[in-house]
Amino acid sequence: MNYAIGIDIGGTKTAIGLVDQNGSVRVKTSLPTDQTITPEIMVDRMADTIKNMLVGEGLNESDVLGIGVGAPGPLNTKEGKIAEPPNLPSWWNFPVVNSLARHFSAPIRLENDATAAALAEKWLGAAKEAEHFVFITISTGIGAGIYSHGKLITGATGNAGDVGHFVVDPAAGTCVCGQKGCWEYVASGTAVARQASALLGREVSSKEAFDLAAAGDPMIGPLVQKIFQYIGIGCVTLINTFDPEKLVIGGGVSQVGAPLFDAVKAYVSKHALNPSGRKTPIVPAALHQDAGLIGAAALIHIPY
């Protein structure tokens, strides 16, 4: 059996797992992404965790085909660096691939986490049969992985798919990137919580906001419908740009389920430019809890 190590670096935790050639997670764990220490020390902790994981499973490094790393962008995958992700300020310009290579001789590949998740959905999830699809993750922010003509579209430096910074509503306010009204500024889980909290005058999570809307709250209900419309606008932009045969939506906000998907499909059916685009299937992601790990490992297991 051949194995890959998957590392999914997030702003608050880093998931690490051993994934076999069939996509099964043999063992996994997670570490806090401690931004009070240097990234080098954090990588040392990751390496120790991987080595202990291999010993615990009775494996050697020679049993590992490689290490795949998914991380939030912007990245520079050509140089193996984490560039300037807003939620990892202490990691800016950090050469994560070279740092890991201090500990391992196996090949190491770095890609945007949404790009890696798209590859996982192609391998094992909701896009197995698709040769042209876009995977969209809507959670703290919004990102995408683009798969077209049978391969991942990663761009010159690995940052294709930063769709959260499409401008959707310039009147809505200033995004962290400095533009006005970016898609993730108006439609991410963070955006839902921010706008609902402002309406109610208290702290509201995105989950609570969606629950209130489902219960018929007269203030939050219209907000959530506007959020669904914003998500539809972004989906129409992706359909018009890439002509996919399918959109796959994952991330925490996708857990809202039918109300979200029904609203987005209705918007797309009216506003996508191409008649065939108006019928684009829009489906939930199949991989949830371990998507990041499997996606990172897929960078090793699956040609892309």
Side-chain angles (χ1 to χ4, degrees):
M1 184 70 75
N2 292 321
Y3 297 96
I5 298 293
I7 303 176
D8 182 29
I9 300 173
T12 58
K13 74 171 184 175
T14 295
I16 301 172
L18 182 67
V19 181
D20 70 23
Q21 62 199 28
N22 299 315
S24 297
V25 181
R26 177 161 168 172
V27 62
K28 62 181 178 179
T29 189
S30 65
L31 303 172
T33 305
D34 187 348
Q35 296 193 55
T36 67
I37 61 175
T38 66
E40 288 88 352
I41 294 174
M42 186 68 204
V43 167
D44 291 345
R45 291 181 182 178
M46 293 179 200
D48 289 343
T49 299
I50 292 167
K51 290 173 181 177
N52 290 335
M53 187 177 284
L54 292 174
V55 169
E57 295 298 309
L59 298 171
N60 300 310
E61 187 183 341
S62 59
D63 297 307
V64 174
L65 294 174
I67 299 171
V69 182
L75 309 172
N76 188 323
T77 55
K78 280 192 171 181
E79 297 181 1
K81 289 183 178 180
I82 292 176
E84 295 186 4
N87 62 343
L88 286 173
S90 64
W91 289 61
W92 283 20
N93 299 312
F94 177 63
V96 64
V97 169
N98 284 344
S99 188
L100 276 166
R102 293 181 292 128
H103 299 278
F104 302 102
S105 58
I108 302 166
R109 293 179 178 167
L110 169 69
E111 293 288 353
N112 180 278
D113 47 10
T115 297
L119 190 60
E121 289 291 335
K122 171 62 179 173
W123 184 20
L124 301 168
K128 286 182 185 178
E129 308 303 322
E131 293 301 295
H132 308 267
F133 74 93
V134 180
F135 167 78
I136 307 161
T137 178
I138 308 175
S139 53
T140 303
I142 297 179
I146 303 158
Y147 194 93
S148 186
H149 296 279
K151 63 180 182 180
L152 280 176
I153 305 300
T154 57
T157 58
N159 291 296
D162 268 342
V163 300
H165 299 282
F166 286 160
V167 172
V168 169
D169 184 357
T174 304
C175 178
V176 65
C177 76
Q179 291 200 107
K180 304 283 187 182
C182 290
W183 195 18
E184 76 174 33
Y185 182 78
V186 299
S188 64
T190 305
V192 174
R194 184 190 71 248
Q195 294 170 85
S197 298
L199 281 174
L200 296 179
R202 62 179 178 85
E203 287 296 314
V204 179
S205 68
S206 58
K207 183 182 184 306
E208 183 182 356
F210 287 123
D211 289 344
L212 287 169
D217 185 281
M219 295 180 72
I220 303 303
L223 168 65
V224 166
Q225 288 305 310
K226 183 171 73 172
I227 298 294
F228 291 164
Q229 180 177 331
Y230 283 143
I231 293 172
I233 291 169
C235 288
V236 165
T237 301
L238 290 169
I239 290 168
N240 290 348
T241 303
F242 295 105
D243 191 24
E245 59 192 287
K246 179 180 285 188
L247 296 182
V248 180
I249 302 180
V253 170
S254 72
Q255 300 304 302
V256 173
L260 166 65
F261 284 88
D262 291 347
V264 171
K265 289 174 187 176
Y267 188 91
V268 166
S269 72
K270 293 178 182 177
H271 298 290
L273 185 62
N274 190 329
S276 66
R278 297 172 206 147
K279 300 175 183 177
T280 304
I282 302 170
V283 303
L287 304 175
H288 298 296
Q289 185 176 357
D290 293 329
L293 280 184
I294 295 170
L299 301 173
I300 301 299
H301 281 306
I302 306 298
Y304 70 97

